[in-house]
């Protein structure tokens, strides 16, 4: 069960935004990721709880940020309920999308589990509902993902396989690179792995 800490920053000017203290692991149903977010000074700002099924679909999502809350799952596409800070009003949403996204590294892992790309495969299009900080406002976006290469790196604990993905925002054409090993993001725009207590988990190949 990997445990560690990501630092999140503005991908444009590198302003520090938060630290995400996480643990995650494969399980009987698929994969679960749980984290707590704090400001650079240590104040609690939110949390992420995401469970995927064995096919990479979101079984359950719960987000908290700035007193806002979102609960969602894969249902007729993706369905969610967003609750305002007072708790007196709730809005429901449903979009014919494949999965959820957001600032947490958990969503990058979730997308790779859903797509199961290989280095020889063409780029794959995916539609995501992204919850934007700081009020978890939903936004639908289309992306294209391609696995550029897969390399094994020697470590003290044995070979570590690192996947390099190219992600393209289809509305703007903007491209960026994501490096992932197992269920841990090594590097991505706005994300840096600061600390990792145990090695990443490996996923069994889907048949």
């Amino acid at each position: 069960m990997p445990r560690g800490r990501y630092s999140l920053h503005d991908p444009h000017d590198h302003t520090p935004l938060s630290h995400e203290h996480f643990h995650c692991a494969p399980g009987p149903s698929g994969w679960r990721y749980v984290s707590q977010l704090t400001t650079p000074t240590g104040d609690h700002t939110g949390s992420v709880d995401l469970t995927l099924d064995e096919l990479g679909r979101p079984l359950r999502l719960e987000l908290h940020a700035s007193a806002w809350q979102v609960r969602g799952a894969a249902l007729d596409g993706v369905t969610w309920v967003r609750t305002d800070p007072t708790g007196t009003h709730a809005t429901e949403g449903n979009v014919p999308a494949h999965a959820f996204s957001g600032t947490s590294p958990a969503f990058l892992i979730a997308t790779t589990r859903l797509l199961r790309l290989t280095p020889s495969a063409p780029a794959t299009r995916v539609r995501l509902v992204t919850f934007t900080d700081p009020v978890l406002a939903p936004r639908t976006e289309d992306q294209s993902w391609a696995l550029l290469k897969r390399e094994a790196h020697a470590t003290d604990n044995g070979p570590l396989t690192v996947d390099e993905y190219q992600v393209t925002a289809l509305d703007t054409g903007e491209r960026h690179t994501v490096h992932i090993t197992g269920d841990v993001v090594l590097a991505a725009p706005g994300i840096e792995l600061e600390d990792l207590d145990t090695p990443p988990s490996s996923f069994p190949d889907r048949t």
Side-chain angles (χ1 to χ4, degrees):
M1 178 185 291
R3 292 178 179 269
R5 183 181 74 254
Y6 294 107
S7 63
L8 308 183
H9 58 267
D10 187 297
H12 302 291
D13 62 15
H14 302 288
T15 300
L17 299 176
S18 60
H19 290 135
E20 187 160 339
H21 306 263
F22 74 95
H23 64 271
C24 56
S29 64
W31 181 73
R32 188 179 181 192
Y33 177 100
V34 177
S35 69
Q36 299 291 324
L37 288 96
T38 63
T39 66
T41 57
D43 296 327
H44 183 265
T45 60
S47 63
V48 178
D49 191 341
L50 173 64
T51 301
L52 307 180
D53 68 11
E54 61 181 3
L55 300 180
R57 298 170 299 193
L59 278 179
R60 186 175 71 89
L61 171 67
E62 185 168 331
L63 300 176
H64 293 265
S66 302
W68 292 85
Q69 176 180 292
V70 166
R71 292 185 178 182
L75 181 65
D76 297 326
V78 293
T79 300
W80 68 92
V81 175
R82 176 174 174 264
T83 305
D84 67 295
T86 65
T88 58
H89 303 285
T91 56
E92 297 183 4
N94 173 264
V95 170
H98 299 96
F100 297 111
S101 187
T103 57
S104 172
F107 295 113
L108 298 176
I109 302 294
T111 302
T112 65
R113 298 311 303 156
L114 181 70
L115 299 180
R116 308 292 174 98
L117 299 176
T118 61
S120 59
T124 298
R125 178 172 177 156
V126 61
R127 174 163 290 181
L128 304 170
V129 172
T130 298
F131 295 104
T132 58
D133 290 335
V135 296
L136 302 179
R139 178 170 60 91
T140 303
E141 58 180 334
D142 293 318
Q143 296 179 347
S144 172
W145 281 66
L147 177 53
L148 299 182
K149 59 183 177 180
R150 174 172 288 161
E151 295 183 336
H153 298 264
T155 71
D156 294 340
N157 297 314
L160 191 69
T161 301
V162 178
D163 290 339
E164 179 182 335
Y165 293 91
Q166 180 177 273
V167 183
T168 304
L170 295 181
D171 57 346
T172 64
E174 181 180 359
R175 292 181 174 177
H176 62 268
T177 302
V178 176
H179 291 87
I180 290 175
T181 178
D183 56 357
V184 172
V185 176
L186 297 178
I191 299 170
E192 183 175 348
L193 181 64
E194 293 277 357
D195 182 54
L196 186 64
D197 293 344
T198 52
S201 301
S202 59
F203 291 101
D205 291 334
R206 184 178 66 190
T207 57

